[in-house]
Each structure stands twice: as C-alpha cells, then as structure tokens.
C-alpha cells in the first residue's frame, strides 16, 4: 500500500503512511489505516481527492495494471 499511494500522481504528495489494523487468516480480511496530510481543506478537494471511492479506485487500478 505504501508504494501504491506514495507513487500515485493524484495522492502521492499527500500520502504519509499505511498501517495494518487487523488481519484475519480465516476470511483473508485485512483492515488498514491510510494517513494523508492534506492542505487546508476545501470542500471540492475533500469531496474529490479524499473521497473513499477515489482512494479505493487508485488501489484497484494498481492491481489491474499488474495483471
């Protein structure tokens, strides 16, 4: 995750860290925390760049690009 988000053209300059919060072998589930340092918030920035769907899609695109 660190490599994906730190190299992202859209979010790389804001990304600070990724940390695994919990991991389950039974269900192959990982819960992680992403930390971003964002400029003074503007409504547009938070709605677009910090949108959870946008952040998830950056990870998805990275996975698809590797296939």
């Amino acid at each position: 995750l660190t490599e994906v988000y730190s190299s992202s053209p859209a979010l790389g300059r804001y990304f600070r860290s990724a940390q695994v919060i919990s991991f389950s072998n039974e269900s192959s589930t990982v819960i992680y925390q992403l930390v971003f340092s964002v400029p003074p918030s503007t409504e547009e920035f938070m709605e677009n760049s910090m949108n959870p769907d946008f952040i998830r899609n950056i990870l998805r695109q990275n996975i698809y690009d590797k296939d």
Side-chain angles (χ1 to χ4, degrees):
L1 289 176
T2 299
E3 183 179 324
V4 170
Y5 288 105
S6 63
S7 65
S8 164
L11 295 176
R13 68 185 140 217
Y14 307 116
F15 179 75
R16 295 297 170 253
S17 65
Q19 178 179 3
V20 174
I21 303 299
S22 69
F23 180 81
S24 170
N25 284 326
E26 293 174 18
S27 64
S28 298
T29 301
V30 177
I31 298 173
Y32 56 89
Q33 177 183 31
L34 300 174
V35 178
F36 295 90
S37 176
V38 297
S41 296
T42 65
E43 189 173 326
E44 182 181 337
F45 178 81
M46 294 307 287
E47 286 178 4
N48 297 320
S49 296
M50 291 291 107
N51 179 301
D53 290 331
F54 181 77
I55 293 170
R56 248 187 317 271
N57 287 335
I58 288 175
L59 179 57
R60 283 187 184 130
Q61 186 62 51
N62 182 271
I63 291 168
Y64 295 146
D65 288 349
K66 294 199 186 277
D67 288 342

